[in-house]
């Protein structure tokens, strides 16, 4: 469950290569849609962690004619024309790459169920091939009750044995075990690259991208 106006929640996307060749320049494409088709890009914010630059990068979303919100993990800021130099993810032969993500919803976001899925696209020059797709991941966006009034300054006490709170570093990768949320990819095979989840893959011919996947 995500709270409207709440803090970001972290989850993870696993890209797994089922072939003996390296799969380079993979750009996941996230799609979010709510049941009432009221969700818009201004209602939420998604970041992904780029280990190459050791920083979080935003995902710019666009709303389609089918009322879906589509965003490419390319580091492009909303309204920007370039991809901020992010080259995509390289997945080693018979290996996997875990992509940390963090998602938050504004207090104006519509309440109710939201479904997310991810398509993996391998960039090839100015074109690309669809090489993997996840199952649907459905969660709820809800309004939460107001928090109780804070204690006056200086009266808060830590429970015995409670760990000290350290400085939060926004540039550090998240600890993903706190939510357990994950969105693995089910494989669609390409000539030299296939992505899968859980040891099972659906291998099909690669499809050229005439437009962004829905």
């Amino acid at each position: 469950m995500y709270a409207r106006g709440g803090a970001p929640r972290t989850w993870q996307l696993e890209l797994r290569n089922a072939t003996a060749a390296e799969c380079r320049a993979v750009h996941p494409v996230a799609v979010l849609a709510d049941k009432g088709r009221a969700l818009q890009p201004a209602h939420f914010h998604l970041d992904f962690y780029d280990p190459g630059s050791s920083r979080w990068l935003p995902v710019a979303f666009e709303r389609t004619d089918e009322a879906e919100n589509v965003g490419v993990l390319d580091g492009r800021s909303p309204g920007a024309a370039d991809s901020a130099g992010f080259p995509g993810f390289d997945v080693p032969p018979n290996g996997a790459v875990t992509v940390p993500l963090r998602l938050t919803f504004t207090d104006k976001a519509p309440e109710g169920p939201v479904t997310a899925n991810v398509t993996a696209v391998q960039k090839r020059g100015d074109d690309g091939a669809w090489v993997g797709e996840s199952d649907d991941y459905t969660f709820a966006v809800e309004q939460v009750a107001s928090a109780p009034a804070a204690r006056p300054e200086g009266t808060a006490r830590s429970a015995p044995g409670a760990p000290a709170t350290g400085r939060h570093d926004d540039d550090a990768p998240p600890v993903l075990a706190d939510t357990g949320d994950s969105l693995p990819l089910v494989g669609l095979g390409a000539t030299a690259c296939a992505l899968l989840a859980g040891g099972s893959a659906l291998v099909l011919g690669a499809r050229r991208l005439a437009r962004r996947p829905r």
Side-chain angles (χ1 to χ4, degrees), residues 106-125:
T106 72
D107 57 3
K108 303 296 185 182
E111 296 183 53
V114 174
T115 298
N117 59 64
V118 176
T119 297
V121 175
Q122 185 181 25
K123 187 176 180 180
R124 299 175 180 176

Side-chain angles (χ1 to χ4, degrees), residues 16-82:
R16 185 171 297 173
N17 187 353
T19 73
E22 184 179 28
C23 188
R24 300 179 61 85
V26 174
H27 288 274
V29 181
V31 181
L32 277 71
D34 65 324
K35 186 175 181 180
R37 301 305 194 191
L39 184 69
Q40 300 189 30
H43 292 144
F44 63 94
H45 184 83
L46 178 67
D47 294 319
F48 70 96
Y49 190 76
D50 172 23
S53 63
S54 300
R55 62 193 177 108
W56 290 96
L57 297 176
V59 180
F61 280 84
E62 297 178 1
R63 186 173 168 87
T64 70
D65 294 339
E66 292 79 19
E68 295 175 327
N69 302 283
V70 180
V72 183
L73 274 66
D74 59 8
R76 178 171 58 90
S77 299
D82 59 31

